[in-house]
Amino acid sequence: MRIIEKRFLRGPNLYSATPCLMAVVDSAGAEPAPGLASRLVALLPGLSPEASARLAALASPADAVEAVVMELQRLAGAPGAFSQTMEVPRKPGARRAVCGYRTEQVAGQALGVALDLVAALQRGEDFDVAAAVTELHETAEDYAIGTSTGAVVSAAERRGIPSLRITDEANLFQLGWGSRQKRLQATITGATNSIAVGIASDKQLTKALLEQAGCPVPDGATVTRLDEAQRVARRLSGPATIKPLDANQGKGVTTVCTTPEEVERAFEHARKYSRHVIVEEYLEGRDYRVLVTGDRVAAASWRRPPGVTGDGHSTVRELVEIENRNPARGEGHTNILTKIPMDALAEAILARQGYGFDSVLPSGVGVDLRGNANLSTGGTAEDVTDSLPEETRDICIRAARTIGLDVAGIDIICRDIAQPLREQNGGIIEVNAAPGIRMHQYPSRGTPRDAGAAIVEALFGQDDGRIPTVAVTGTNGKTTTSLLIAHAARLTGQRTGLTTTEGVYIDGRRIMAGDCTGYRSARAVLTSPEVDFAVLETARGGILKRGLAYDRCDVSVVLNVSSDHLGLDGVDTIEDLARVKAVVAQRASRAVVLNAEDDYCVTMAKDLRDNVEVLYFALDADNPVLLRHLESGGRGVYLEDTTLVLATGARHEALLDVREMPVSLGGCARYNIANALAATAALAASGFGNPEIAAGLRSFVSDSKHNPLRSNLFDVDGVTVIVDYAHNCAAYAALAETARAMTPGRVVGVVAAPGDRRDADLVDIGRTCAAGFDELVVYETENRGRKTGEVAALLVQGARLGRIAADRLQCELDVHQAIRAGLALCQQGDVLVFGCGSSISELSEALRPTRPELAQRIAAEAV
């Protein structure tokens, strides 16, 4: 078996609303080996009954891939939620396996393992599934999101706030989009002051500031030498706590130091983590952590040191090993609790209590294995949020504000958190700038507190972090419609982010060039902090290659669906293409704009989300779909003679005469009028007023500088030349209609098409052009794998089938020669359509040998 196509669809896609891996697996027509299904079930006994049943009916070894990938992901601890297998047309034995995933790297690795596993069993060989799963599990852990980060991200997603992991390796996330985004790493937010983080990491400076602010703190000092540590310890009224100045997670901390020998050992231990060591008053009592988010206390926990309780026959070592097998415990911060370490420090703590690792504890007798209660060293926690007195809450909030932290973990030592701190000689021993929240989310005892939600609330208030987003798709007209919407929005003062086939634009400035209608380009807009309003041209290719870059948008626009790009990426029919375009419509949360004159668009209305408004647009004011919609109280936009009308039920408002729009070419370009109708509906659905919409339509200029290769007009010695990217039947027919409306003279077409279309599609384009133009010159542009002359021959074949006279059809493979030949056929007043152009320079270079001044002017206009 071999993979002939593989794609990670990172957003909503043709198969699922969630990320999935799509792979086309070819078994080269091989039959499943005898016993293949039963061996797979034996090696993977956790397979669901449904998956086992499908395996029992294998028609091809490739049929097994999807089920195996899903089970391997589950065993690795990163299960996917969705999967399916489909046959591939015209490829017997090939299957399209679609597997949902949680972690992209695990899914990709699982696919490779699945192929190796099935291939080994096909050959009758053994396969070490356990070893493969171990490697998959390691990958899952390498790319896992930390518990605290995951709690905040999950809380944001529950509120509908979009999230984006900025790098695969780090717990760095963007929450929200555009100018309303926030950033998060663990529990440090983009609003966390870097100076405050520096203060919090300096425990002595923290103490000084807290003491100055009236917060209770233990007496003590920072030292660098042992003699200084001994001197400070003697000065204190009781036992000392010794800890590094700038370590975290309880590293290097020793409590209850009463003798010079204990002080010396503790000092040397602390020096392993910091050159500066704090010697301070030991506060007697329990260890509490209070979480402050914004201006409130979100949670409080009593942290207990890691320990075990004897059963009368097991050693301490055995009891720890038993406890560490608890599924809730993991390495580091990967799980709810952390495994208890059996190291030198644990051994020393045990020795103080009169035991060692090999001691058998009497039944019911408990021992501690750490002097502190940090969860990162195996401790547990009990929720005490409701026990905090108001005075203690105020002290904790004041402490966080004094340090300057928006999210802070306040460490308190006292006998009873329910009593005021000063009455029991309690105090704050530390302020943490990146507090872990596992103890609050998943306490060992008490009420779980949604600390992640509290952090999200502090970041966003009641906002969902989203900017208004409009997605535009369709076969033709996407770029012009997107530009119209973005232009009108920008005129109102909104900083717009825009993706088109020409590039990515932020507030009118192009930041990326090229065809930018896919996942990466949309992400560039949604991650830009300079964007208040996003307009995303979304092409077929982008949807199929990576899925959508957004979980949902406010408004979707589907302009039309016609034959183009068929036979590519598994899209073989117009119905298939319509399903791809419908992915965009189905992600709208507010409104969908649909072409009432396109049956494929109209059909999409029945599969939308609940409570999503439909707005129809139509060039024909009497279109029955539009009329029924308006009669039922819906909104729509239509053309009445030369007037653009926005209607809501019985209320019909004239916006402007379409001849006032430069993009309409004096009212001749009906396809651009249709684009303007769609843009009007999208802007209305987005909340813009009629005067704002009309101002945008009147002032948008679709020339070679602002909208290149979209019906750009040039005068060449009295001949009007229309330069357009038209490359399919619908586009050429619309251009021919427009050209015919612009002149009583002749219409000449200089036409081509990309070579990656099917033969029949190229023939149809030739036939369409023959019907639309009086004279036809065929040339070649991007052959995309075909031999020179092959595409042109198919276009010529189609033109002849369209019964064009032989003397009205020419073939010039070179684009410059073709343009010159077309112009030679024209007289003053005629219109020449140059289709499938790749740049304006093709026209200027064609003119340069005979009209250098004109060529220079056209080239300058395009800059």
Side-chain angles (χ1 to χ4, degrees):
M1 291 191 300
R2 64 187 183 96
I3 298 173
I4 58 177
E5 186 180 345
K6 182 175 78 169
R7 291 175 179 173
F8 288 102
L9 304 172
R10 294 172 178 146
N13 53 77
L14 187 59
Y15 312 103
S16 170
T18 54
C20 57
L21 165 64
M22 188 284 294
V24 177
V25 182
D26 189 3
S27 63
E31 297 276 334
L36 174 62
S38 59
R39 291 193 67 191
L40 283 170
V41 172
L43 286 171
L44 301 169
L47 283 164
S48 68
E50 296 80 10
S52 298
R54 292 202 307 274
L55 289 176
L58 290 181
S60 162
D63 282 321
V65 172
E66 169 223 324
V68 175
V69 169
M70 297 305 290
E71 177 61 8
L72 289 171
Q73 289 187 94
R74 187 190 70 79
L75 292 170
F82 161 85
S83 67
Q84 67 178 121
T85 297
M86 294 162 282
E87 293 186 355
V88 179
R90 299 184 302 279
K91 290 183 180 178
R95 298 293 185 267
R96 190 181 303 274
V98 180
C99 303
Y101 64 78
R102 178 189 295 177
T103 305
E104 184 173 302
Q105 293 78 8
V106 175
Q109 187 176 335
L111 175 62
V113 172
L115 291 175
D116 291 344
L117 170 57
V118 175
L121 299 189
Q122 273 284 100
R123 296 190 298 268
E125 299 171 358
D126 293 331
F127 191 88
D128 191 342
V129 172
V133 169
T134 297
E135 291 183 6
L136 285 167
H137 192 270
E138 290 173 354
T139 300
E141 288 191 339
D142 287 343
Y143 291 95
I145 300 170
T147 308
S148 294
T149 308
V152 182
V153 171
S154 294
E157 292 175 346
R158 288 196 301 273
R159 280 187 41 180
I161 299 170
S163 68
L164 169 65
R165 193 174 189 178
I166 295 177
T167 67
D168 291 331
E169 293 79 16
N171 284 322
L172 179 61
F173 277 79
Q174 174 183 311
L175 303 180
W177 286 338
S179 58
R180 292 160 78 174
Q181 67 179 271
K182 311 289 183 183
R183 285 189 176 173
L184 174 83
Q185 188 165 33
T187 56
I188 292 181
T189 77
T192 302
N193 188 305
S194 62
I195 294 178
V197 173
I199 292 171
S201 66
D202 185 330
K203 297 178 175 60
Q204 188 60 35
L205 178 56
T206 296
K207 282 176 58 178
L209 290 176
L210 293 183
E211 186 174 22
Q212 179 178 291
C215 298
V217 294
D219 186 18
T222 301
V223 301
T224 58
R225 301 196 312 270
L226 176 59
D227 62 320
E228 294 175 326
Q230 297 286 16
R231 186 164 53 252
V232 174
R234 287 194 299 269
R235 177 172 60 79
L236 299 176
S237 58
T241 292
I242 298 177
K243 57 187 178 183
L245 177 68
D246 50 9
N248 58 12
Q249 298 180 355
K251 294 178 182 137
V253 177
T254 307
T255 59
V256 199
C257 298
T258 58
T259 68
E261 292 76 19
E262 290 176 338
V263 170
E264 181 177 357
R265 284 195 298 269
F267 177 82
E268 294 303 327
H269 181 55
R271 281 290 299 270
K272 294 176 183 177
Y273 299 93
S274 174
R275 180 172 174 268
H276 296 83
V277 175
I278 293 177
V279 181
E280 66 184 13
E281 174 188 6
Y282 168 69
L283 299 182
E284 186 177 353
R286 296 171 175 174
D287 185 340
Y288 295 96
R289 163 66 63 83
V290 178
L291 177 68
V292 176
T293 58
D295 58 358
R296 73 182 185 93
V297 168
S301 295
W302 169 20
R303 301 189 296 181
R304 299 181 177 182
V308 291
T309 302
D311 58 11
H313 58 82
S314 300
T315 65
V316 171
R317 189 187 307 276
E318 290 168 339
L319 292 169
V320 171
E321 289 173 350
I322 291 169
E323 175 58 28
N324 281 343
R325 288 198 290 269
N326 180 348
R329 292 192 181 271
E331 301 293 342
H333 296 265
T334 60
N335 215 332
I336 296 170
L337 297 173
T338 299
K339 290 184 177 180
I340 301 171
M342 289 189 290
D343 53 16
L345 183 55
E347 189 173 22
I349 297 296
L350 273 174
R352 287 186 187 177
Q353 301 165 81
Y355 298 103
F357 286 143
D358 296 320
S359 300
V360 175
L361 296 179
S363 181
V365 173
V367 293
D368 292 335
L369 291 150
R370 269 294 187 276
N372 61 69
N374 293 69
L375 262 68
S376 57
T377 54
T380 59
E382 178 179 337
D383 178 72
V384 294
T385 306
D386 294 334
S387 300
L388 260 65
E390 197 61 38
E391 177 186 316
T392 302
R393 292 174 182 268
D394 291 342
I395 288 173
C396 292
I397 294 169
R398 191 180 336 127
R401 287 177 176 169
T402 298
I403 303 305
L405 295 170
D406 59 326
V407 177
I410 313 298
D411 289 348
I412 293 174
I413 298 292
C414 65
R415 295 185 186 89
D416 184 359
I417 198 67
Q419 303 302 316
L421 292 180
R422 290 188 176 88
E423 293 180 5
Q424 53 182 318
N425 195 35
I428 297 174
I429 61 167
E430 199 167 323
V431 176
N432 297 274
I437 58 176
R438 289 186 296 167
M439 68 187 79
H440 309 302
Q441 295 277 149
Y442 314 105
S444 302
R445 299 178 188 172
T447 304
R449 306 290 173 170
D450 197 342
I455 293 173
V456 170
E457 183 180 345
L459 280 171
F460 288 95
Q462 297 307 305
D463 188 35
D464 65 3
R466 293 177 182 267
I467 58 173
T469 302
V470 179
V472 180
T473 195
T475 302
N476 295 312
K478 298 184 293 297
T479 296
T480 299
T481 304
S482 299
L483 286 164
L484 277 165
I485 296 168
H487 174 75
R490 192 167 175 232
L491 284 183
T492 68
Q494 302 261 27
R495 294 176 298 174
T496 59
L498 169 68
T499 65
T500 74
T501 53
E502 296 301 318
V504 175
Y505 299 82
I506 303 295
D507 202 23
R509 302 183 313 277
R510 187 161 73 172
I511 65 166
M512 294 182 188
D515 187 347
C516 296
T517 55
Y519 180 93
R520 177 173 171 266
S521 306
R523 284 292 194 194
V525 166
L526 296 174
T527 57
S528 171
E530 303 169 281
V531 173
D532 305 318
F533 189 96
V535 184
L536 308 175
E537 179 181 343
T538 307
R540 169 209 64 90
I543 299 171
L544 291 171
K545 287 180 173 64
R546 283 289 179 263
L548 300 180
Y550 43 88
D551 57 339
R552 67 173 191 261
C553 56
D554 293 277
V555 179
S556 292
V557 180
V558 187
L559 297 168
N560 43 61
V561 182
S562 61
S563 178
D564 198 14
H565 297 283
L566 300 183
L568 301 173
D569 304 312
V571 177
D572 298 306
T573 66
I574 298 183
E575 288 75 17
D576 291 339
L577 184 59
R579 282 192 289 273
V580 175
K581 304 294 185 184
V583 171
V584 177
Q586 291 161 5
R587 304 323 299 169
S589 61
R590 183 171 179 176
V592 175
V593 175
L594 297 173
N595 187 345
E597 297 171 312
D598 188 303
D599 291 341
Y600 294 106
C601 290
V602 173
T603 300
M604 294 178 192
K606 63 181 177 59
D607 294 321
L608 305 179
R609 293 183 173 195
D610 294 339
N611 302 317
V612 170
E613 180 187 11
V614 174
L615 291 86
Y616 281 113
F617 69 93
L619 288 168
D620 179 8
D622 295 322
N623 176 269
V625 173
L626 174 69
L627 291 178
R628 284 195 301 271
H629 183 67
L630 297 179
E631 287 169 3
S632 63
R635 287 197 287 177
V637 185
Y638 62 89
L639 182 66
E640 183 73 61
D641 296 326
T642 62
T643 301
L644 189 154
V645 180
L646 174 60
T648 304
R651 183 179 180 181
H652 297 239
E653 300 177 90
L655 261 64
L656 80 167
D657 189 312
V658 295
R659 292 171 295 186
E660 299 174 33
M661 303 186 307
V663 75
S664 76
L665 306 185
C668 296
R670 287 178 62 83
Y671 55 90
N672 269 348
I673 296 173
N675 294 335
L677 297 176
T680 297
L683 289 162
S686 299
F688 291 90
N690 290 5
E692 295 170 327
I693 298 172
L697 298 179
R698 284 193 182 96
S699 58
F700 176 71
V701 177
S702 180
D703 58 17
S704 57
K705 181 176 181 179
H706 299 92
N707 193 15
L709 303 177
R710 269 72 184 177
S711 301
N712 306 145
L713 298 187
F714 300 92
D715 186 306
V716 178
D717 298 328
V719 176
T720 298
V721 176
I722 304 176
V723 181
D724 198 280
Y725 181 58
H727 55 276
N728 56 48
C729 290
Y732 273 122
L735 272 176
E737 179 187 14
T738 296
R740 191 73 63 192
M742 294 174 67
T743 180
R746 291 180 308 157
V747 178
V748 176
V750 178
V751 304
D756 58 357
R757 273 47 173 182
R758 299 175 303 185
D759 289 2
D761 297 327
L762 294 170
V763 170
D764 283 344
I765 290 171
R767 184 186 290 111
T768 299
C769 291
F773 298 106
D774 299 315
E775 304 275 355
L776 200 59
V777 181
V778 174
Y779 74 97
E780 280 198 339
T781 177
E782 301 175 76
N783 290 335
R784 299 182 182 178
R786 289 182 182 264
K787 295 179 181 178
T788 300
E790 187 177 350
V791 175
L794 290 166
L795 292 171
V796 168
Q797 178 186 338
R800 287 172 176 160
L801 290 173
R803 300 188 184 282
I804 191 170
D807 61 347
R808 294 194 295 116
L809 174 63
Q810 297 183 45
C811 181
E812 296 284 352
L813 297 185
D814 177 74
V815 61
H816 302 127
Q817 292 180 15
I819 292 172
R820 288 193 286 267
L823 288 169
L825 296 171
C826 295
Q827 301 175 0
Q828 286 194 357
D830 290 347
V831 175
L832 182 144
V833 172
F834 171 39
C836 204
S838 61
S839 73
I840 301 299
S841 65
E842 289 173 324
L843 174 61
S844 61
E845 291 306 310
L847 294 171
R848 196 171 299 281
T850 56
R851 296 296 310 278
E853 303 87 357
L854 180 57
Q856 186 63 32
R857 177 172 60 79
I858 290 174
E861 289 178 7
V863 177

